Amino acid sequence: MTKYVYDFHEGNATMRALLGGKGSNLAEMTGLGLPVPSGFTISTQACMEYLANGEQLTEEMIQQIETYLARLEAETGKSFSKGDNLLLVSVRSGAAQSMPGMMDTILNLGLNDVNVERFATLTGNPQFAYDCYRRLLHMFGNVVYEINGSHFERFLTNYKETHQRENDQALTVDDLKVIVAAYKGIYKKIGQKEFPQDPKTQLFEAIRAVFSSWNNERAFVYRNLNDMSHQGGTAVNVQEMVFGNSGQNSGTGVAFTRNPSTGENKIFGEYLLNAQGEDVVAGIRTPLPVSTLSEVMPDVYAEFIRVANLLEDHYRDMQDIEFTIENGKLFMLQTRSGKRTAKAAFKIAVDLVNEGKATKDEALMQINPKSVDQLLHPTFNPVALKIADLITDIGLPASPGAATGNIYFDANAAKAAVQAGEKVILVRQETSPEDITGMSISEAVVTSRGGMTSHAAVVARGMGVCCVVGCEQINIDEDNRRVSYPGGQLEEGTIISVDGTNGAIYLGDVEKMPTEADESFQTIMAWARERSHLKVRMNAETVEDIKTGLAFEADGIGLVRTEHMFFKEERLREMRRFILSNRAQEQNRALSAILNYQIDDFVNIFSLTQDKPVVIRLLDPPLHEFMPHTKQEITHVAEQLGTTYAELQQRVIDLTEVNPMLGHRGVRLAVTYPNLYLMQAEAIIRAAVQVNTATFQVKPEIMIPLVGMKEELALLRQQIEKHIEELLKELGVTVEYTIGTMIELPRACLIADQLVDYADFFSFGTNDLTQMTFGFSRDDAGKYINQYISEAILPIDPFQTLDVEGVGELVKIATEKARQKQADFKLGVCGELGGDPNSIEFFHQIGLNYVSCSPYRIPIAQIAAAQSAIKYATM
Amino acid sequence: MTKYVYDFHEGNATMRALLGGKGSNLAEMTGLGLPVPSGFTISTQACMEYLANGEQLTEEMIQQIETYLARLEAETGKSFSKGDNLLLVSVRSGAAQSMPGMMDTILNLGLNDVNVERFATLTGNPQFAYDCYRRLLHMFGNVVYEINGSHFERFLTNYKETHQRENDQALTVDDLKVIVAAYKGIYKKIGQKEFPQDPKTQLFEAIRAVFSSWNNERAFVYRNLNDMSHQGGTAVNVQEMVFGNSGQNSGTGVAFTRNPSTGENKIFGEYLLNAQGEDVVAGIRTPLPVSTLSEVMPDVYAEFIRVANLLEDHYRDMQDIEFTIENGKLFMLQTRSGKRTAKAAFKIAVDLVNEGKATKDEALMQINPKSVDQLLHPTFNPVALKIADLITDIGLPASPGAATGNIYFDANAAKAAVQAGEKVILVRQETSPEDITGMSISEAVVTSRGGMTSHAAVVARGMGVCCVVGCEQINIDEDNRRVSYPGGQLEEGTIISVDGTNGAIYLGDVEKMPTEADESFQTIMAWARERSHLKVRMNAETVEDIKTGLAFEADGIGLVRTEHMFFKEERLREMRRFILSNRAQEQNRALSAILNYQIDDFVNIFSLTQDKPVVIRLLDPPLHEFMPHTKQEITHVAEQLGTTYAELQQRVIDLTEVNPMLGHRGVRLAVTYPNLYLMQAEAIIRAAVQVNTATFQVKPEIMIPLVGMKEELALLRQQIEKHIEELLKELGVTVEYTIGTMIELPRACLIADQLVDYADFFSFGTNDLTQMTFGFSRDDAGKYINQYISEAILPIDPFQTLDVEGVGELVKIATEKARQKQADFKLGVCGELGGDPNSIEFFHQIGLNYVSCSPYRIPIAQIAAAQSAIKYATM
């Protein structure tokens, strides 16, 4: 028999998955001997089975709930229907992870037309009893029958106005009786239902409603937005009511044990006297600072402070507490880890350690890695956002930040505007390498197509430029230089504000709040680096990016994308000359020219990275990416290279591929044009020789991309080694270089043990590996991937967070095969997932040596790496 | 210590991999007590280690060879250098599989300037001795020093002419001394080397040369053409010489134990008196039929017949025998399974069984599955081929056959020519669905692009139309209607002949030989079907293809590609209407129209297949494949559908994908447009209801393509089942249908256990799975895949033969996961590899239920399936 129900004595804080956050903490507080009203929790497992069972409670669940209800009646000496002492309960949802979208609460359950009178007699306070009944009708109708709360509110407001009652407290018993009758009328008229008079029926309907709410749209969207699984379910907590609204000696409040905005170590909270539940949050009456309670009820305040400190000490973290005072007695209704700003999070974490209240590990675990972005990028003022004109809020948040500027539709227009002193936002359907300069000078980049790993997203993230991609609601007409969106049109030059942290775009200039990395941040990051097993490298090739990464103490470079270097004007010309030529001599002349540029590139990199390892990926993209495509460009390039339009056009056509992602690129290019990689290898070695000093030796790690067969790697390794050895002999020096490969094809994973024989290291290229494993083209997936996520066909976007079952399984297979062959074989990740906390946890678990990500994600990765080390050390 | 050398008493026929075919058979014959000259074999393993060792024999090898040479000297009582009795040996290569490209032979090794005189004295025949020396110099120079044989031949011919010697026998001792001296001069002049006088040096150089020849170009190309591994290596056989040229009581010959052309059970062979080794094959003197030996040397003939019969009985197969008669004594120099025509192969196999000489299993194992093509398609007359003008011989043999016709460059021109009574060959850069009608009326199809699974290849193979693809040597200029190739140009209308069995194209009309399936063929095929575990289905959707498959007794259809049905004019219009519309009503109207066409399609299929299972793949290609692309087409279609050019063009652009292979297709389409699959499912069920009779019920197996996540399959299965159940309820009937999925994404393999919960069967789509696993686009891979194969980076074309290590590993993972979940889960293959013998062996091994291939490959697959069953039953 499955146990579906637990009373508060049976649970504890470790049972969060089964009992939800609220239930497990109520049980934990009960265990600590704190004043918690009695109750029981119906498990998340019951919820999932209820949902799988066509939204029906099973016989077994019903029986267990009945049993625990009887126990609750016995424990409290109260009863739903019999005897003198009336049992009223609250029913609240509580999932394992806090989830605002679904948090439905019903108070005062158990009241009905008869019980309300008994309750009036019992409390000697008919006004209080009818107020409770009125509240129950409102909440129950709203939560269980989905009657919009405004129907009740409107009637109440109206009534108070027409009867000149200043506030709720001013309502008389007779008023409340009229209101109760009217509310029941709303049930019939709007809900087409009667309010159930039987308390048990109320209870079971409330439980069903909470369980069903797991799948309501708000909850669903919330989980999607927060990368949460749809498989957890919510628990239901049934708890004896205590009444903060039973007079002036009662009240209710919420408090944080420290300031959640600044992190200051000072209790922070609010309360209302003679009020119940949601009144504090609802904002109808203005609550008082919790500190004033010390004057109103000094004993209660002292007890509250004692409990708050005890809870913070016990949980070793800042707590968010809900409490109620019933006739001068304090009751704890909830405690949980308090939400906080990133700034506060770092300060609290450091303070707790300094106060001896938490260990460094515990402090590190309190930091949400994703919140680090907030610290490093400005954010919009939330107050200003409330009144801002929204253009769209369903773009993909590709690169965090808050930016404002005038929109321009191409890189040249953007450049001109910047020269004229404007701040610009580059708006394009999608970006290509030719837009890079334009992107780098923009405040933000917005595209209507592409996903989180599209060109725009990857490049902007690398640059730290705010970016929103895949804004499908907006239509970008580049030809007519106009954007249309559901609410209107934007001409070139219009000012917009872009929130790269959540994917929203606003009209006009929205006020921003600066944020900065402070001492707490530095302390936490140092602890994180100390604690991690995984090293964190950067994906970078520009001086600016590398400096950023080094400032975050990156452990070297995990990916230099050499193709970016080929798009500069003069190299592009030589590269095109190389591609066009059929004669070895002419090809070699072009390569010699590029060689010199490449040496400079690598000298620039090595001079910064010094003795840190640097993985350099040899040329990867298909050749047609280097070719001109428009008629105008072809004409220009043909002139430049001294060839005919027809010949150049023919070569462009020859190079065109049906599926370039699966085309003639990576190592396949090198098999066809061996000199290409030899030139790059030579440049790397010559640069290393140039930069090496007596005090440090640079450590280039040469990486061959897109290998699928050991024969490819064997061939290229042999060619490159031979070329380098001859070169070093000629130069009479040595360089500590290694040669490895990128693992980005499913086949490479399956034969990883064979590849080990020819590689000094592997770096998993999770972008391409995800594309091949799913058969998704990241350039095209935008057409259906959002639908897949919103319909829960995909739990996550696999380009943002590792798909553990598919792509992860291949990474695991490769890791096991490689390490079986060579136990200490060096393994890293250089895809975009290298900066994603969930993915990092997986990479830690399977024992990779490092992850590599764009410079601005390094702190996130460092925190995630430390948390993984902590998590799996204690398991 | 590794054993590298085995004498003929140590080996036997089972040691073929180690000793090569020749060595193991010499050992086997020695074991049988047959007259085999003594000798020893240096293993294939020695060869591979020699090659890996930079083409050096190891100390260990040298020592063992010395030991066995000493043993040979002891056994024969002869010596290389000492004593009266001179040892001369032959040195021959012999790989595990017969390999003409590499078969180098040196006879009479051991002779030198001194020994030749001793040999003259010993044999009392100086002319014979010097003739042997002359032959040694020729063969050694050719094989070891790579001196072109023509240098020796030219001198000899010249000498005979100027000295009026009619033939070799007429040469005097003095003539031969002059010739020997001249040959040594050729060594110096051409080879820049002296002929080594030391017999042991000769031996070791010869061994090295044979080992090295494993990697010569001829051998390499031969192995590539015959799908043979480059990893086997060759053995070297060192054997005491016997002399067929030691007088008129001596001779040498080759014979087959049955007729290799017709299969007739009558010994078939030729011999020459007083001749050595290659003379019979060389064609200088005309050999005599072996039957005439009965008159010349009746005893020897009787012994020969005894040995021949003994060998055929022992090996239970027709043998190809080499023998030498030395002074009236018969010696066996080689026996091996005889090569034969496909026609002969079937007859011999059936006869051997009928004669009680072989079991059915042994008979089945004698058939080369690939040779079946010869029986089913006409072939060119080999004599006519010798004088034909070759255009290219490196096209890919995509669909077998021999065809002649006038070339045309588009389907319309081809149709016009056919109507005018011409036979045509369609020549295009690549084909698309619009070419299908043109292809079906052509004798052959030739393309310059694409691989073995390109559109042209797949469609032609399905149609049984001869086809050669990927002819990179020819340049097809469709605009100017001209083909240029290295040897010239072809205008439209030129007659060419196309060999779809080997990928060659000839100018003009080359004579053909008809072939036909006879009674032996039918017998063998019946045995094969009986013996197989794997069922063999067909990939087919046209009436003609299905009839062909049924004639070959296919076990149903493994793949109906429904997209082919959508390209007929009137459906294409409705499909385009569907794609263009945004309104549900209009979309449904278009689908209703298509529904009726689809019902007819499936009625046609089911009427033929009756109660055989039929897998129908729901729509797979991306929507843009249905859209017009040229300006002219867009204008036309816009008119037809009553929309504007701009609107239609915009939709075409919206649908365009960067990587269509990884795009919005297969099940992804159905997630976006659920009604598409529901319409198809409904058509299938309605057709089944229409065709079902009292005596049979059709068995549709509905297949959902491109599934990568269980959620996709769960969603679609639920939708389709619901739709069908409602329909059946409405119709008041039942239909035995199942729903399964195609496994063609790496991810699908990795989560196969999850998919089992929602599928009744899997069918592996090996084409797409190969593309994703390798990251190869089959449309583009032509650019490098040939280079990969010719440089041995790829051992095989993975689109032609399963890549066991990568793609096969995924298939195996999926099979294991599926069967762990459900032991009898139904698994098939419907990619092109389903018709490839090597791949079929793998599919048998891992326990699939069926393979499916194009109708004309069914007999091949049936033979391969039977052979796999036999092979793994006896292991």
Side-chain angles (χ1 to χ4, degrees), chain A residues 54 137 192 352 357 511 566 598 624 869:
Chain A
L137 284 166
Q192 311 284 336
L352 285 172
K357 287 194 171 182
E511 187 197 337
F566 284 70
Q598 283 266 279
H624 57 77

Side-chain angles (χ1 to χ4, degrees), chain A residues 393-594:
Chain A
D393 60 354
I394 61 160
L396 297 172
S399 178
T404 299
N406 306 76
I407 62 173
Y408 286 93
F409 295 101
D410 65 53
N412 290 333
K415 273 184 254 182
V418 168
Q419 278 158 7
E422 287 184 32
K423 286 182 183 291
V424 309
I425 291 178
L426 184 64
V427 176
R428 294 189 60 76
Q429 290 190 340
E430 53 200 335
T431 63
S432 68
E434 286 155 20
D435 294 320
I436 287 179
T437 332
M439 293 171 73
S440 70
I441 54 155
S442 297
E443 302 298 310
V445 176
V446 171
T447 71
S448 55
R449 295 195 193 158
M452 293 295 280
T453 54
S454 62
H455 179 267
V458 173
V459 173
R461 207 142 56 224
M463 291 173 169
V465 170
C466 171
C467 179
V468 173
V469 298
C471 298
E472 298 201 331
Q473 281 187 328
I474 73 172
N475 190 354
I476 298 172
D477 182 348
E478 292 176 358
D479 293 340
N480 294 307
R481 317 191 84 72
R482 195 162 42 213
V483 171
S484 57
Y485 65 99
Q489 278 202 349
L490 310 174
E491 303 297 327
E492 194 157 50
T494 309
I495 293 181
I496 64 170
S497 293
V498 177
D499 188 339
T501 311
N502 68 14
I505 303 174
Y506 305 90
L507 200 58
D509 186 353
V510 179
E511 187 197 337
K512 280 165 283 292
M513 308 192 306
T515 43
E516 61 189 37
D518 56 10
E519 200 184 320
S520 305
F521 174 79
Q522 302 298 357
T523 305
I524 292 281
M525 293 317 302
W527 291 348
R529 284 190 295 271
E530 228 167 69
R531 191 63 177 88
S532 302
H533 301 168
L534 281 170
K535 299 280 181 197
V536 178
R537 298 193 188 183
M538 62 180 128
N539 298 346
E541 50 275 324
T542 65
V543 167
E544 200 185 333
D545 273 2
I546 295 171
K547 283 185 178 164
T548 304
L550 290 175
F552 289 131
E553 303 205 17
D555 301 302
I557 300 186
L559 181 64
V560 169
R561 288 152 293 208
T562 53
E563 59 272 22
H564 289 188
M565 302 166 173
F566 284 70
F567 284 103
K568 292 185 188 160
E569 180 66 18
E570 65 282 10
R571 300 152 188 226
L572 196 52
R573 190 172 59 232
E574 294 302 332
M575 190 63 191
R576 287 169 171 169
R577 205 187 294 285
F578 170 79
I579 294 168
L580 268 174
S581 174
N582 296 316
R583 280 172 302 155
Q585 203 188 359
E586 206 176 338
Q587 288 191 348
N588 289 337
R589 207 176 315 131
L591 285 181
S592 299
I594 302 174

Side-chain angles (χ1 to χ4, degrees), chain B residues 439-719:
Chain B
M439 293 172 73
S440 70
I441 55 155
S442 297
E443 302 298 309
V445 176
V446 172
T447 71
S448 55
R449 295 196 191 159
M452 291 296 280
T453 54
S454 62
H455 178 268
V458 172
V459 172
R461 207 142 57 224
M463 292 174 170
V465 169
C466 171
C467 179
V468 173
V469 299
C471 298
E472 297 202 330
Q473 279 187 328
I474 72 172
N475 190 355
I476 298 172
D477 182 348
E478 292 175 359
D479 292 341
N480 295 307
R481 317 190 83 71
R482 197 162 42 215
V483 170
S484 56
Y485 65 100
Q489 277 201 350
L490 311 174
E491 302 297 327
E492 193 156 49
T494 309
I495 293 180
I496 64 170
S497 293
V498 178
D499 189 339
T501 312
N502 69 13
I505 304 175
Y506 305 91
L507 201 55
D509 186 353
V510 179
E511 189 199 334
K512 280 166 280 293
M513 306 194 306
T515 44
E516 61 190 38
D518 57 10
E519 201 184 322
S520 305
F521 174 78
Q522 301 298 355
T523 305
I524 292 282
M525 292 318 302
W527 292 348
R529 284 189 296 270
E530 231 167 68
R531 192 64 178 88
S532 302
H533 300 168
L534 279 170
K535 300 280 179 197
V536 177
R537 298 193 188 183
M538 61 179 128
N539 299 346
E541 49 277 323
T542 66
V543 168
E544 201 185 331
D545 273 3
I546 295 171
K547 283 185 177 164
T548 304
L550 291 175
F552 289 131
E553 303 207 16
D555 301 302
I557 301 186
L559 181 62
V560 169
R561 286 151 292 205
T562 54
E563 59 271 23
H564 288 189
M565 302 167 173
F566 284 69
F567 284 103
K568 292 187 188 159
E569 178 66 17
E570 65 283 9
R571 301 155 186 222
L572 195 52
R573 190 172 59 231
E574 294 301 333
M575 191 61 193
R576 286 167 171 171
R577 203 187 296 284
F578 171 81
I579 296 169
L580 267 175
S581 175
N582 295 317
R583 280 171 304 154
Q585 204 188 358
E586 207 177 337
Q587 287 191 348
N588 288 337
R589 207 176 313 131
L591 286 181
S592 297
I594 302 173
L595 172 66
N596 289 318
Y597 293 122
Q598 282 266 279
I599 294 172
D600 290 347
D601 293 331
F602 297 131
V603 164
N604 286 339
I605 292 172
F606 296 152
S607 304
L608 291 168
T609 53
Q610 301 197 351
D611 59 353
K612 290 193 160 67
V614 178
V615 173
I616 298 161
R617 179 175 68 188
L618 302 183
L619 207 64
D620 187 41
L623 294 184
H624 58 78
E625 287 201 8
F626 300 101
M627 299 304 274
H629 287 102
T630 67
K631 206 165 170 173
Q632 200 183 350
E633 284 172 328
I634 295 176
T635 309
H636 173 67
V637 172
E639 247 169 56
Q640 201 180 43
L641 301 185
T643 180
T644 64
Y645 182 91
E647 198 190 336
L648 181 55
Q649 191 191 28
Q650 186 54 49
R651 190 80 180 107
V652 170
I653 292 170
D654 287 349
L655 289 173
T656 301
E657 295 182 308
V658 181
N659 297 290
M661 174 52 49
L662 308 173
H664 191 186
R665 65 187 194 89
V667 69
R668 299 166 196 170
L669 275 184
V671 169
T672 316
Y673 305 101
N675 288 337
L676 214 45
Y677 276 16
L678 299 185
M679 176 276 289
Q680 290 197 295
E682 181 170 338
I684 291 166
I685 297 302
R686 285 189 184 274
V689 171
Q690 219 170 303
V691 175
N692 277 347
T693 68
T695 53
F696 69 81
Q697 296 272 307
V698 305
K699 293 191 183 56
E701 305 185 327
I702 299 171
M703 181 159 74
I704 300 170
L706 212 72
V707 165
M709 291 146 258
K710 69 170 188 300
E711 292 81 2
E712 292 172 316
L713 191 58
L715 178 72
L716 266 293
R717 186 189 178 98
Q718 186 260 328
Q719 288 177 356

Side-chain angles (χ1 to χ4, degrees), chain A residues 654 668 712 747 788 803, chain B residues 712 747 774-775 783 788 803:
Chain A
D654 287 348
R668 299 167 195 171
E712 291 172 317
R747 193 175 195 280
Y788 263 55
D803 159 48
Chain B
E712 292 172 316
R747 194 175 194 279
F774 275 89
K783 287 184 183 161
Y788 263 55
D803 158 50

